Amino acid sequence: MSFDIPENHICGFIGPNGAGKTTLFSLIAGAVPPSSGSVQLRGSDVTGKGPSALVKMGVARTHQIVRPFRFMTVLENVQLAVHFGRHRVTRTARAKELGMDVLKQVGLDAKAHLLASALSLGEQKLLEVARALATRPDLLLLDEICGGLSATETKSMLNLLHRIRQDGATIMYVEHDMKAIMTVCDRITVLNFGRKLAEGKPEDIQNDPAVIEAYLGTGAFGSRPRG
């Protein structure tokens, strides 16, 4: 597995369940040390650095299963990320201010003082993104943030990704929703059994015979992927 991520791009990663997508994110984000090879960030070797060190270097991620601090407010969840993010903020008032800015960015400012447990799934997904954004990342790893969302919620989430990219971030995005990932990504990498099967623009991936056989299936595009 070898690839480069151009700055200020949205790069998608797709493949069957078990292909290694989440494991790849864990390697890059420092949650799992690689058994071989290296991870480079803007020319610097960051192999083996832990998640907290990588957050300080501008790398943040979300997870497939949202796990907010359920009995803290939405704002308090984001405030923690501000406190311990890339640029540590010690003053509570300033952390609240920055946290509210992030909640406005994702559209959750009206829910700031609700408990996180009171949010819908779609809102909890937005909170997951907000907590990552609150660390001020240059590289944002998003793992199935549209999973379980309605068509309207998915459209809003993809619009948010465009805005995040416009603000200067680079995004790596794992998703099973093929319409979503083909719509939003500049480039897509296909994984299969832990190896890179294909890489290219969305239209190239959509028509790649090896990708169709291994993942997309032989039916019309947009049918449910196998796995």
Side-chain angles (χ1 to χ4, degrees), residues 4-11 41-42 58-60 133 137-142 161 164-173 186-187:
D4 296 314
I5 303 296
E7 287 200 51
N8 203 219
H9 278 56
I10 302 177
C11 297
L41 181 65
R42 288 177 168 163
V59 180
L133 287 176
D138 291 328
L139 177 61
L140 182 60
L141 284 63
L142 302 176
L161 297 198
I164 293 170
R165 193 256 295 275
Q166 288 170 357
D167 288 339
T170 301
I171 298 173
M172 296 176 64
Y173 179 29
D186 301 298
R187 193 173 75 178

Short mmCIF file of all heavy atoms in Angstrom, two decimals, residues 4-11 41-42 58-60 133 137-142 161 164-173 186-187:
data_model
loop_
_atom_site.label_atom_id
_atom_site.label_comp_id
_atom_site.label_asym_id
_atom_site.label_seq_id
_atom_site.Cartn_x
_atom_site.Cartn_y
_atom_site.Cartn_z
N ASP A 4 0.04 8.96 -2.23
CA ASP A 4 0.24 10.33 -1.77
C ASP A 4 -1.12 11.03 -1.71
O ASP A 4 -2.01 10.74 -2.51
CB ASP A 4 1.14 11.11 -2.73
CG ASP A 4 2.55 10.54 -2.81
OD1 ASP A 4 3.11 10.25 -1.73
OD2 ASP A 4 3.08 10.38 -3.92
N ILE A 5 -1.25 11.96 -0.78
CA ILE A 5 -2.47 12.75 -0.65
C ILE A 5 -2.12 14.20 -0.97
O ILE A 5 -1.42 14.85 -0.19
CB ILE A 5 -3.06 12.66 0.77
CG1 ILE A 5 -3.34 11.20 1.15
CG2 ILE A 5 -4.32 13.50 0.88
CD1 ILE A 5 -4.39 10.53 0.29
N PRO A 6 -2.57 14.73 -2.10
CA PRO A 6 -2.29 16.14 -2.42
C PRO A 6 -2.98 17.07 -1.43
O PRO A 6 -4.09 16.80 -0.98
CB PRO A 6 -2.88 16.31 -3.83
CG PRO A 6 -3.09 14.93 -4.36
CD PRO A 6 -3.36 14.07 -3.16
N GLU A 7 -2.33 18.15 -1.09
CA GLU A 7 -2.92 19.11 -0.17
C GLU A 7 -4.18 19.73 -0.76
O GLU A 7 -4.30 19.94 -1.97
CB GLU A 7 -1.92 20.21 0.18
CG GLU A 7 -0.82 19.73 1.12
CD GLU A 7 -0.13 20.88 1.83
OE1 GLU A 7 -0.83 21.72 2.41
OE2 GLU A 7 1.11 20.92 1.80
N ASN A 8 -5.14 20.00 0.13
CA ASN A 8 -6.39 20.65 -0.23
C ASN A 8 -7.22 19.84 -1.23
O ASN A 8 -7.95 20.40 -2.03
CB ASN A 8 -6.14 22.06 -0.77
CG ASN A 8 -7.33 22.97 -0.63
OD1 ASN A 8 -7.64 23.77 -1.51
ND2 ASN A 8 -8.06 22.87 0.48
N HIS A 9 -7.11 18.52 -1.16
CA HIS A 9 -7.93 17.61 -1.95
C HIS A 9 -8.82 16.80 -1.01
O HIS A 9 -8.54 16.67 0.18
CB HIS A 9 -7.06 16.63 -2.75
CG HIS A 9 -6.54 17.19 -4.04
ND1 HIS A 9 -5.80 18.34 -4.10
CD2 HIS A 9 -6.64 16.75 -5.33
CE1 HIS A 9 -5.46 18.60 -5.35
NE2 HIS A 9 -5.98 17.66 -6.11
N ILE A 10 -9.90 16.26 -1.57
CA ILE A 10 -10.71 15.27 -0.87
C ILE A 10 -10.45 13.94 -1.55
O ILE A 10 -10.78 13.75 -2.72
CB ILE A 10 -12.21 15.61 -0.92
CG1 ILE A 10 -12.48 16.97 -0.30
CG2 ILE A 10 -13.02 14.54 -0.18
CD1 ILE A 10 -13.94 17.42 -0.37
N CYS A 11 -9.81 13.03 -0.84
CA CYS A 11 -9.42 11.74 -1.40
C CYS A 11 -10.21 10.63 -0.72
O CYS A 11 -10.19 10.49 0.51
CB CYS A 11 -7.92 11.51 -1.20
SG CYS A 11 -6.89 12.72 -2.06
N LEU A 41 4.46 12.97 6.67
CA LEU A 41 3.57 14.13 6.72
C LEU A 41 4.38 15.36 6.32
O LEU A 41 5.27 15.80 7.04
CB LEU A 41 3.00 14.31 8.13
CG LEU A 41 2.04 15.48 8.33
CD1 LEU A 41 0.77 15.27 7.50
CD2 LEU A 41 1.68 15.63 9.81
N ARG A 42 4.09 15.86 5.12
CA ARG A 42 4.81 17.02 4.57
C ARG A 42 6.32 16.82 4.64
O ARG A 42 7.08 17.70 5.03
CB ARG A 42 4.42 18.30 5.31
CG ARG A 42 3.02 18.77 4.97
CD ARG A 42 2.61 19.98 5.77
NE ARG A 42 1.39 20.57 5.23
CZ ARG A 42 0.62 21.42 5.90
NH1 ARG A 42 0.94 21.78 7.13
NH2 ARG A 42 -0.46 21.92 5.35
N GLY A 58 -1.36 18.41 13.40
CA GLY A 58 -2.42 18.77 12.47
C GLY A 58 -3.16 17.62 11.83
O GLY A 58 -3.73 17.77 10.75
N VAL A 59 -3.20 16.45 12.50
CA VAL A 59 -3.94 15.28 11.98
C VAL A 59 -5.07 14.95 12.95
O VAL A 59 -4.85 14.83 14.15
CB VAL A 59 -3.02 14.06 11.83
CG1 VAL A 59 -3.81 12.85 11.30
CG2 VAL A 59 -1.84 14.37 10.91
N ALA A 60 -6.28 14.82 12.44
CA ALA A 60 -7.43 14.44 13.27
C ALA A 60 -8.30 13.46 12.52
O ALA A 60 -8.30 13.44 11.29
CB ALA A 60 -8.24 15.68 13.67
N LEU A 133 -12.68 18.88 13.98
CA LEU A 133 -12.36 20.22 13.48
C LEU A 133 -11.85 21.13 14.58
O LEU A 133 -11.02 22.01 14.33
CB LEU A 133 -13.59 20.85 12.84
CG LEU A 133 -14.04 20.30 11.48
CD1 LEU A 133 -15.34 20.98 11.06
CD2 LEU A 133 -12.96 20.53 10.43
N PRO A 137 -7.20 20.79 12.44
CA PRO A 137 -6.36 19.91 11.63
C PRO A 137 -6.06 20.49 10.24
O PRO A 137 -6.85 21.25 9.68
CB PRO A 137 -7.21 18.65 11.50
CG PRO A 137 -8.62 19.18 11.51
CD PRO A 137 -8.60 20.35 12.47
N ASP A 138 -4.93 20.08 9.69
CA ASP A 138 -4.64 20.28 8.27
C ASP A 138 -5.08 19.05 7.48
O ASP A 138 -5.48 19.16 6.32
CB ASP A 138 -3.15 20.50 8.05
CG ASP A 138 -2.67 21.83 8.59
OD1 ASP A 138 -3.46 22.79 8.57
OD2 ASP A 138 -1.52 21.91 9.04
N LEU A 139 -4.97 17.87 8.11
CA LEU A 139 -5.38 16.60 7.50
C LEU A 139 -6.49 16.00 8.34
O LEU A 139 -6.30 15.70 9.53
CB LEU A 139 -4.20 15.64 7.41
CG LEU A 139 -4.50 14.24 6.85
CD1 LEU A 139 -5.02 14.32 5.42
CD2 LEU A 139 -3.27 13.35 6.93
N LEU A 140 -7.65 15.82 7.73
CA LEU A 140 -8.84 15.32 8.43
C LEU A 140 -9.22 13.96 7.85
O LEU A 140 -9.46 13.84 6.65
CB LEU A 140 -9.98 16.32 8.26
CG LEU A 140 -11.30 16.03 8.95
CD1 LEU A 140 -11.13 15.92 10.45
CD2 LEU A 140 -12.32 17.12 8.61
N LEU A 141 -9.27 12.94 8.71
CA LEU A 141 -9.62 11.58 8.30
C LEU A 141 -11.06 11.31 8.74
O LEU A 141 -11.35 11.30 9.94
CB LEU A 141 -8.67 10.57 8.93
CG LEU A 141 -7.27 10.42 8.34
CD1 LEU A 141 -6.45 11.69 8.47
CD2 LEU A 141 -6.53 9.26 9.00
N LEU A 142 -11.94 11.09 7.78
CA LEU A 142 -13.36 10.91 8.05
C LEU A 142 -13.78 9.49 7.71
O LEU A 142 -13.66 9.07 6.56
CB LEU A 142 -14.19 11.91 7.23
CG LEU A 142 -13.86 13.39 7.46
CD1 LEU A 142 -14.69 14.27 6.51
CD2 LEU A 142 -14.11 13.79 8.91
N LEU A 161 -18.32 19.13 3.83
CA LEU A 161 -16.97 18.71 3.39
C LEU A 161 -16.39 19.70 2.40
O LEU A 161 -15.20 20.04 2.46
CB LEU A 161 -17.00 17.31 2.77
CG LEU A 161 -17.41 16.14 3.66
CD1 LEU A 161 -16.96 14.83 3.03
CD2 LEU A 161 -16.87 16.27 5.05
N ILE A 164 -15.22 22.69 4.35
CA ILE A 164 -13.99 22.40 5.09
C ILE A 164 -12.79 22.45 4.16
O ILE A 164 -11.73 23.01 4.49
CB ILE A 164 -14.09 21.02 5.77
CG1 ILE A 164 -15.16 21.04 6.87
CG2 ILE A 164 -12.74 20.60 6.35
CD1 ILE A 164 -15.50 19.68 7.42
N ARG A 165 -12.93 21.87 2.98
CA ARG A 165 -11.85 21.92 1.99
C ARG A 165 -11.58 23.36 1.55
O ARG A 165 -10.43 23.77 1.40
CB ARG A 165 -12.19 21.03 0.79
CG ARG A 165 -10.99 20.78 -0.13
CD ARG A 165 -11.10 21.60 -1.40
NE ARG A 165 -12.22 21.22 -2.19
CZ ARG A 165 -12.20 20.21 -3.07
NH1 ARG A 165 -11.11 19.51 -3.27
NH2 ARG A 165 -13.28 19.94 -3.77
N GLN A 166 -12.62 24.15 1.36
CA GLN A 166 -12.45 25.55 0.98
C GLN A 166 -11.71 26.34 2.05
O GLN A 166 -11.01 27.31 1.74
CB GLN A 166 -13.81 26.18 0.70
CG GLN A 166 -14.46 25.71 -0.59
CD GLN A 166 -15.90 26.17 -0.74
OE1 GLN A 166 -16.46 26.82 0.15
NE2 GLN A 166 -16.53 25.84 -1.86
N ASP A 167 -11.83 25.90 3.30
CA ASP A 167 -11.13 26.57 4.40
C ASP A 167 -9.66 26.14 4.48
O ASP A 167 -8.93 26.62 5.35
CB ASP A 167 -11.82 26.27 5.73
CG ASP A 167 -13.15 27.00 5.86
OD1 ASP A 167 -13.35 28.00 5.15
OD2 ASP A 167 -14.00 26.56 6.67
N GLY A 168 -9.24 25.22 3.60
CA GLY A 168 -7.83 24.87 3.52
C GLY A 168 -7.44 23.49 3.97
O GLY A 168 -6.26 23.12 3.87
N ALA A 169 -8.38 22.69 4.47
CA ALA A 169 -8.03 21.36 4.97
C ALA A 169 -7.92 20.35 3.82
O ALA A 169 -8.50 20.51 2.75
CB ALA A 169 -9.07 20.89 5.97
N THR A 170 -7.16 19.31 4.09
CA THR A 170 -7.06 18.14 3.21
C THR A 170 -7.86 17.02 3.88
O THR A 170 -7.78 16.83 5.09
CB THR A 170 -5.60 17.71 3.03
OG1 THR A 170 -4.87 18.81 2.47
CG2 THR A 170 -5.49 16.50 2.11
N ILE A 171 -8.63 16.27 3.08
CA ILE A 171 -9.54 15.27 3.66
C ILE A 171 -9.28 13.89 3.06
O ILE A 171 -9.19 13.74 1.83
CB ILE A 171 -11.01 15.67 3.42
CG1 ILE A 171 -11.33 17.00 4.12
CG2 ILE A 171 -11.96 14.57 3.90
CD1 ILE A 171 -12.70 17.55 3.79
N MET A 172 -9.16 12.90 3.92
CA MET A 172 -9.21 11.49 3.53
C MET A 172 -10.55 10.95 4.01
O MET A 172 -10.92 11.14 5.17
CB MET A 172 -8.06 10.70 4.16
CG MET A 172 -6.68 11.14 3.67
SD MET A 172 -5.33 10.27 4.51
CE MET A 172 -5.63 8.57 3.98
N TYR A 173 -11.28 10.28 3.12
CA TYR A 173 -12.69 9.99 3.38
C TYR A 173 -13.00 8.54 3.03
O TYR A 173 -12.90 8.14 1.86
CB TYR A 173 -13.54 10.96 2.56
CG TYR A 173 -15.03 10.81 2.66
CD1 TYR A 173 -15.65 10.32 3.80
CD2 TYR A 173 -15.85 11.19 1.59
CE1 TYR A 173 -17.02 10.21 3.88
CE2 TYR A 173 -17.22 11.08 1.65
CZ TYR A 173 -17.81 10.59 2.80
OH TYR A 173 -19.18 10.48 2.86
N ASP A 186 -12.08 14.20 -5.16
CA ASP A 186 -11.23 14.52 -6.30
C ASP A 186 -10.56 13.26 -6.84
O ASP A 186 -10.32 13.14 -8.05
CB ASP A 186 -10.14 15.52 -5.89
CG ASP A 186 -10.71 16.80 -5.34
OD1 ASP A 186 -11.42 17.49 -6.10
OD2 ASP A 186 -10.47 17.12 -4.16
N ARG A 187 -10.24 12.35 -5.93
CA ARG A 187 -9.54 11.13 -6.29
C ARG A 187 -9.97 10.02 -5.35
O ARG A 187 -10.33 10.28 -4.20
CB ARG A 187 -8.02 11.35 -6.17
CG ARG A 187 -7.18 10.26 -6.81
CD ARG A 187 -5.70 10.64 -6.79
NE ARG A 187 -5.13 10.50 -5.45
CZ ARG A 187 -3.85 10.73 -5.16
NH1 ARG A 187 -3.04 11.16 -6.12
NH2 ARG A 187 -3.39 10.57 -3.94
#
